[in-house]
Amino acid sequence: MTERGTAPGDLGRRVTGRREELGMTRERLAALAGIDSGYLGYLEETTASPTTETVRRLAAALDTSPEELLGGTVDL
């Protein structure tokens, strides 16, 4: 078993969790968000810093808000 050099960040965990909650494959989410599925995998599996536009597209495809994906509502 190999270990990754980085762990998923909070954004990646939130995207993965919401995607799975909706029963959506990575490929389906990538298509809905208009991004490459390989890049989506990278976002889900590492600590990444996507553009504001990418976060907005993911949020729309996941029927949530960018703030929710970025953790801005965690303590509310």
Side-chain angles (χ1 to χ4, degrees), residues 13-27:
R13 284 190 292 273
R14 287 187 188 98
V15 169
T16 301
R18 179 65 176 153
R19 177 177 61 76
E20 290 175 349
E21 187 178 283
L22 295 173
M24 198 180 298
T25 65
R26 205 178 259 180
E27 291 74 19

Side-chain angles (χ1 to χ4, degrees), residues 1-9 26 38 40-47:
M1 186 164 126
T2 61
E3 291 184 13
R4 291 192 161 275
T6 59
R26 205 178 259 180
L40 177 57
Y42 172 78
L43 293 176
E44 287 187 347
E45 296 172 8
T46 66
T47 302

Side-chain angles (χ1 to χ4, degrees), residues 43-59:
L43 293 176
E44 287 187 347
E45 296 172 8
T46 66
T47 302
S49 297
T51 65
T52 301
E53 177 64 16
T54 298
V55 174
R56 187 192 64 72
R57 291 169 144 206
L58 285 168

